[in-house]
Amino acid sequence: MTQAAFQIWRGTAAGGKFLNYKTEISEGMVVLDAVHKVQAEQAPDLAVRWNCKAGKCGSCSAEINGKPRLMCMTRLNELPLERPVVVEPMKSFPLIRDLVTDVSWNYRVKQQIKKFKPRPPDAEDGTWRMYQEDVDRVQEFRKCIECFLCQNVCHVLREHQLHDQFIGPRFFVHVAALEMHPLDTERRTEELKTANGIGYCNITKCCTKVCPENITITDNAIIPLKERVVDEFYDPIRRLFARFRS
């Protein structure tokens, strides 16, 4: 076994600081293993959220050496251990304690998005028919584990704190999964333009880079949604026809 140094953020919303720890590590350990070892041997009051330890629940999101990552999927042998490994909480959400943040805002946002509204079944046999390629198109978005790393790295939420005006990349993925579903008939472009604030996204692709499920958030979800908003509200030909219809 070898020793590794860690700087772990300790404190609450009222204030805190990084504390230094050293612990033994072994082959195959991930950052979450080391944090648990520190918790067990040196800091029993260290607050850390986790669940599956398999990269599927999204609970152990944090910032490791300044990059939003899942602690359970970040192997220590991939990090430069000649200097301390810095572990701190996500920045886009209110701090509860130590490495735990309050992500409840995300669930309130999800409740506000219009639900799936299927078209009536085919008259011939009472079933819904669709093409396989249409099904495949939205399957990518179903992989989201709601770790909220994309929300954390998004500058609109992280730097500008526009939580009341912008739903963030995770929920643009959710809206895209609904909008692109071959059976859905609900209209969400008005909300995308106004309440959801899709215009604030300047497609830096930072959300795509941090996604542990490798969802192509920007290219496959956000840009197509932006195009739908532009087509409906800013296309001059459509606006002309709409004026004649009215």
Side-chain angles (χ1 to χ4, degrees), residues 30-183:
V30 295
V31 170
L32 184 60
D33 292 327
V35 170
H36 281 165
K37 205 165 190 302
V38 168
Q39 186 185 52
E41 299 173 353
Q42 303 173 53
D45 60 339
L46 171 61
V48 55
R49 181 183 286 134
W50 69 285
N51 189 13
C52 74
K53 201 177 174 292
K56 291 302 176 185
C57 73
S59 298
C60 64
S61 297
E63 298 197 5
I64 302 168
N65 290 346
K67 182 178 179 181
R69 306 180 73 170
L70 293 176
M71 288 189 284
C72 71
M73 298 301 289
T74 306
R75 294 193 174 277
L76 289 171
N77 62 7
E78 297 174 352
L79 300 176
L81 297 180
E82 63 273 11
R83 57 178 183 266
V85 177
V86 180
V87 187
E88 55 189 317
M90 292 191 287
K91 301 290 180 59
S92 291
F93 310 112
L95 179 65
I96 296 177
R97 182 166 159 238
D98 299 342
L99 302 178
V100 179
T101 54
D102 181 3
V103 296
S104 60
W105 168 81
N106 294 279
Y107 302 109
R108 294 194 296 272
V109 167
K110 194 170 187 178
Q111 291 175 345
Q112 297 168 8
I113 296 171
K114 288 182 178 179
K115 305 297 188 292
F116 177 73
K117 182 180 178 181
R119 61 171 169 78
D122 295 329
E124 292 183 3
D125 55 10
T127 62
W128 286 271
R129 298 183 183 277
M130 64 190 84
Y131 293 105
Q132 185 61 46
E133 54 263 33
D134 290 331
V135 176
D136 294 340
R137 187 182 187 190
V138 299
Q139 284 302 100
E140 176 188 18
F141 306 139
R142 306 293 183 186
K143 297 192 299 179
C144 178
I145 60 174
E146 295 198 330
C147 60
F148 304 127
L149 292 177
C150 62
Q151 303 283 74
N152 181 56
V153 78
C154 177
H155 68 281
V156 182
L157 299 175
R158 183 187 181 96
E159 306 296 337
H160 302 289
Q161 297 291 310
L162 296 180
H163 294 70
D164 293 335
Q165 305 171 51
F166 186 74
I167 63 174
R170 186 290 171 259
F171 296 107
F172 290 133
V173 167
H174 179 61
V175 173
L178 296 169
E179 282 285 295
M180 298 178 191
H181 195 288
L183 299 182

